[in-house]
mmCIF file of all heavy atoms in Angstrom:
data_model
loop_
_atom_site.group_PDB
_atom_site.id
_atom_site.type_symbol
_atom_site.label_atom_id
_atom_site.label_comp_id
_atom_site.label_asym_id
_atom_site.label_seq_id
_atom_site.Cartn_x
_atom_site.Cartn_y
_atom_site.Cartn_z
ATOM 1 N N PHE R 8 -62.598 115.440 38.152
ATOM 2 C CA PHE R 8 -63.655 116.441 38.011
ATOM 3 C C PHE R 8 -63.924 117.070 39.370
ATOM 4 O O PHE R 8 -64.067 116.369 40.366
ATOM 5 C CB PHE R 8 -64.926 115.771 37.483
ATOM 6 C CG PHE R 8 -66.087 116.704 37.300
ATOM 7 C CD1 PHE R 8 -66.278 117.326 36.076
ATOM 8 C CD2 PHE R 8 -66.962 116.972 38.326
ATOM 9 C CE1 PHE R 8 -67.352 118.192 35.886
ATOM 10 C CE2 PHE R 8 -68.041 117.828 38.155
ATOM 11 C CZ PHE R 8 -68.233 118.441 36.929
ATOM 12 N N ILE R 9 -64.002 118.391 39.408
ATOM 13 C CA ILE R 9 -64.316 119.106 40.644
ATOM 14 C C ILE R 9 -65.516 120.006 40.380
ATOM 15 O O ILE R 9 -65.515 120.797 39.436
ATOM 16 C CB ILE R 9 -63.142 119.985 41.124
ATOM 17 C CG1 ILE R 9 -61.873 119.169 41.250
ATOM 18 C CG2 ILE R 9 -63.490 120.635 42.464
ATOM 19 C CD1 ILE R 9 -60.644 120.021 41.525
ATOM 20 N N GLN R 10 -66.523 119.889 41.219
ATOM 21 C CA GLN R 10 -67.726 120.708 41.102
ATOM 22 C C GLN R 10 -67.421 122.128 41.573
ATOM 23 O O GLN R 10 -67.281 122.361 42.762
ATOM 24 C CB GLN R 10 -68.843 120.140 41.974
ATOM 25 C CG GLN R 10 -69.219 118.718 41.656
ATOM 26 C CD GLN R 10 -70.220 118.191 42.635
ATOM 27 O OE1 GLN R 10 -71.334 118.709 42.742
ATOM 28 N NE2 GLN R 10 -69.847 117.150 43.364
ATOM 29 N N THR R 11 -67.267 123.044 40.622
ATOM 30 C CA THR R 11 -66.994 124.436 40.980
ATOM 31 C C THR R 11 -67.819 125.376 40.117
ATOM 32 O O THR R 11 -68.196 125.042 38.995
ATOM 33 C CB THR R 11 -65.506 124.792 40.768
ATOM 34 O OG1 THR R 11 -65.198 124.691 39.373
ATOM 35 C CG2 THR R 11 -64.585 123.894 41.579
ATOM 36 N N ARG R 12 -68.073 126.551 40.638
ATOM 37 C CA ARG R 12 -68.802 127.550 39.841
ATOM 38 C C ARG R 12 -67.932 128.046 38.690
ATOM 39 O O ARG R 12 -68.433 128.474 37.670
ATOM 40 C CB ARG R 12 -69.306 128.685 40.718
ATOM 41 C CG ARG R 12 -68.264 129.501 41.375
ATOM 42 C CD ARG R 12 -68.893 130.644 42.176
ATOM 43 N NE ARG R 12 -67.832 131.432 42.736
ATOM 44 C CZ ARG R 12 -67.538 131.501 44.020
ATOM 45 N NH1 ARG R 12 -68.258 130.852 44.892
ATOM 46 N NH2 ARG R 12 -66.540 132.234 44.441
ATOM 47 N N TRP R 13 -66.603 127.992 38.844
ATOM 48 C CA TRP R 13 -65.697 128.372 37.762
ATOM 49 C C TRP R 13 -65.910 127.442 36.565
ATOM 50 O O TRP R 13 -66.043 127.892 35.431
ATOM 51 C CB TRP R 13 -64.250 128.313 38.249
ATOM 52 C CG TRP R 13 -63.255 128.576 37.169
ATOM 53 C CD1 TRP R 13 -62.829 129.791 36.734
ATOM 54 C CD2 TRP R 13 -62.574 127.599 36.374
ATOM 55 N NE1 TRP R 13 -61.921 129.637 35.704
ATOM 56 C CE2 TRP R 13 -61.738 128.292 35.466
ATOM 57 C CE3 TRP R 13 -62.574 126.213 36.326
ATOM 58 C CZ2 TRP R 13 -60.941 127.647 34.545
ATOM 59 C CZ3 TRP R 13 -61.767 125.572 35.403
ATOM 60 C CH2 TRP R 13 -60.966 126.302 34.536
ATOM 61 N N LEU R 14 -65.960 126.142 36.819
ATOM 62 C CA LEU R 14 -66.183 125.177 35.745
ATOM 63 C C LEU R 14 -67.584 125.343 35.165
ATOM 64 O O LEU R 14 -67.763 125.318 33.948
ATOM 65 C CB LEU R 14 -65.986 123.749 36.269
ATOM 66 C CG LEU R 14 -65.950 122.628 35.244
ATOM 67 C CD1 LEU R 14 -64.849 122.851 34.208
ATOM 68 C CD2 LEU R 14 -65.758 121.290 35.930
ATOM 69 N N LEU R 15 -68.565 125.557 36.022
ATOM 70 C CA LEU R 15 -69.939 125.790 35.580
ATOM 71 C C LEU R 15 -70.006 127.011 34.664
ATOM 72 O O LEU R 15 -70.604 126.963 33.588
ATOM 73 C CB LEU R 15 -70.855 125.981 36.793
ATOM 74 C CG LEU R 15 -72.301 126.388 36.514
ATOM 75 C CD1 LEU R 15 -73.031 125.337 35.705
ATOM 76 C CD2 LEU R 15 -73.020 126.644 37.834
ATOM 77 N N GLY R 16 -69.362 128.097 35.067
ATOM 78 C CA GLY R 16 -69.367 129.314 34.257
ATOM 79 C C GLY R 16 -68.660 129.130 32.927
ATOM 80 O O GLY R 16 -69.077 129.676 31.906
ATOM 81 N N GLY R 17 -67.589 128.368 32.929
ATOM 82 C CA GLY R 17 -66.828 128.147 31.705
ATOM 83 C C GLY R 17 -67.500 127.212 30.722
ATOM 84 O O GLY R 17 -67.358 127.355 29.509
ATOM 85 N N MET R 18 -68.240 126.251 31.247
ATOM 86 C CA MET R 18 -68.859 125.244 30.389
ATOM 87 C C MET R 18 -70.300 125.563 30.041
ATOM 88 O O MET R 18 -70.821 125.040 29.060
ATOM 89 C CB MET R 18 -68.837 123.878 31.085
ATOM 90 C CG MET R 18 -67.470 123.325 31.334
ATOM 91 S SD MET R 18 -67.567 121.710 32.111
ATOM 92 C CE MET R 18 -68.101 120.730 30.725
ATOM 93 N N GLY R 19 -70.943 126.347 30.868
ATOM 94 C CA GLY R 19 -72.380 126.552 30.723
ATOM 95 C C GLY R 19 -73.112 125.459 31.485
ATOM 96 O O GLY R 19 -72.616 124.345 31.661
ATOM 97 N N GLU R 20 -74.309 125.786 31.937
ATOM 98 C CA GLU R 20 -75.042 124.877 32.829
ATOM 99 C C GLU R 20 -75.352 123.521 32.204
ATOM 100 O O GLU R 20 -75.166 122.480 32.831
ATOM 101 C CB GLU R 20 -76.332 125.544 33.299
ATOM 102 C CG GLU R 20 -77.037 124.766 34.380
ATOM 103 C CD GLU R 20 -78.174 125.533 35.008
ATOM 104 O OE1 GLU R 20 -78.361 126.720 34.713
ATOM 105 O OE2 GLU R 20 -78.891 124.917 35.810
ATOM 106 N N GLU R 21 -75.801 123.524 30.952
ATOM 107 C CA GLU R 21 -76.174 122.251 30.308
ATOM 108 C C GLU R 21 -74.968 121.320 30.167
ATOM 109 O O GLU R 21 -75.039 120.143 30.541
ATOM 110 C CB GLU R 21 -76.796 122.523 28.938
ATOM 111 C CG GLU R 21 -77.289 121.265 28.255
ATOM 112 C CD GLU R 21 -77.955 121.527 26.915
ATOM 113 O OE1 GLU R 21 -78.344 122.682 26.648
ATOM 114 O OE2 GLU R 21 -78.080 120.568 26.141
ATOM 115 N N ASN R 22 -73.856 121.826 29.634
ATOM 116 C CA ASN R 22 -72.662 121.000 29.469
ATOM 117 C C ASN R 22 -72.091 120.555 30.811
ATOM 118 O O ASN R 22 -71.656 119.415 30.965
ATOM 119 C CB ASN R 22 -71.603 121.742 28.661
ATOM 120 C CG ASN R 22 -71.987 121.885 27.210
ATOM 121 O OD1 ASN R 22 -72.699 121.051 26.659
ATOM 122 N ND2 ASN R 22 -71.528 122.950 26.586
ATOM 123 N N TYR R 23 -72.085 121.472 31.776
ATOM 124 C CA TYR R 23 -71.588 121.150 33.116
ATOM 125 C C TYR R 23 -72.406 120.016 33.729
ATOM 126 O O TYR R 23 -71.846 119.047 34.255
ATOM 127 C CB TYR R 23 -71.652 122.396 34.001
ATOM 128 C CG TYR R 23 -71.305 122.157 35.450
ATOM 129 C CD1 TYR R 23 -69.992 122.217 35.876
ATOM 130 C CD2 TYR R 23 -72.295 121.882 36.393
ATOM 131 C CE1 TYR R 23 -69.665 122.016 37.214
ATOM 132 C CE2 TYR R 23 -71.984 121.674 37.720
ATOM 133 C CZ TYR R 23 -70.666 121.743 38.129
ATOM 134 O OH TYR R 23 -70.352 121.538 39.450
ATOM 135 N N ASN R 24 -73.734 120.126 33.661
ATOM 136 C CA ASN R 24 -74.590 119.090 34.247
ATOM 137 C C ASN R 24 -74.414 117.749 33.554
ATOM 138 O O ASN R 24 -74.428 116.703 34.200
ATOM 139 C CB ASN R 24 -76.053 119.534 34.220
ATOM 140 C CG ASN R 24 -76.335 120.625 35.230
ATOM 141 O OD1 ASN R 24 -75.639 120.753 36.242
ATOM 142 N ND2 ASN R 24 -77.343 121.433 34.956
ATOM 143 N N LYS R 25 -74.216 117.759 32.233
ATOM 144 C CA LYS R 25 -73.951 116.516 31.497
ATOM 145 C C LYS R 25 -72.630 115.900 31.943
ATOM 146 O O LYS R 25 -72.549 114.686 32.156
ATOM 147 C CB LYS R 25 -73.916 116.773 29.987
ATOM 148 C CG LYS R 25 -75.261 116.953 29.355
ATOM 149 C CD LYS R 25 -75.115 117.179 27.857
ATOM 150 C CE LYS R 25 -76.444 117.507 27.212
ATOM 151 N NZ LYS R 25 -76.288 117.802 25.781
ATOM 152 N N MET R 26 -71.605 116.744 32.060
ATOM 153 C CA MET R 26 -70.296 116.229 32.469
ATOM 154 C C MET R 26 -70.345 115.689 33.895
ATOM 155 O O MET R 26 -69.792 114.619 34.181
ATOM 156 C CB MET R 26 -69.229 117.313 32.343
ATOM 157 C CG MET R 26 -67.839 116.817 32.678
ATOM 158 S SD MET R 26 -66.626 118.093 32.382
ATOM 159 C CE MET R 26 -65.540 117.199 31.324
ATOM 160 N N LYS R 27 -71.004 116.402 34.775
ATOM 161 C CA LYS R 27 -71.120 115.963 36.170
ATOM 162 C C LYS R 27 -71.886 114.644 36.245
ATOM 163 O O LYS R 27 -71.467 113.712 36.939
ATOM 164 C CB LYS R 27 -71.823 117.032 37.007
ATOM 165 C CG LYS R 27 -71.952 116.660 38.455
ATOM 166 C CD LYS R 27 -72.616 117.784 39.248
ATOM 167 C CE LYS R 27 -72.812 117.354 40.675
ATOM 168 N NZ LYS R 27 -74.181 117.299 41.092
ATOM 169 N N ALA R 28 -72.997 114.553 35.531
ATOM 170 C CA ALA R 28 -73.781 113.314 35.518
ATOM 171 C C ALA R 28 -72.963 112.160 34.949
ATOM 172 O O ALA R 28 -73.014 111.038 35.457
ATOM 173 C CB ALA R 28 -75.066 113.509 34.717
ATOM 174 N N GLY R 29 -72.196 112.431 33.902
ATOM 175 C CA GLY R 29 -71.335 111.403 33.325
ATOM 176 C C GLY R 29 -70.276 110.936 34.300
ATOM 177 O O GLY R 29 -69.992 109.740 34.393
#
Side-chain angles (χ1 to χ4, degrees):
F8 180 91
I9 306 172
Q10 302 174 62
T11 64
R12 64 177 183 249
W13 175 84
L14 190 58
L15 173 62
M18 296 181 73
E20 189 170 353
E21 184 178 342
N22 289 331
Y23 174 87
N24 288 335
K25 284 181 186 177
M26 183 175 234
K27 181 178 176 242

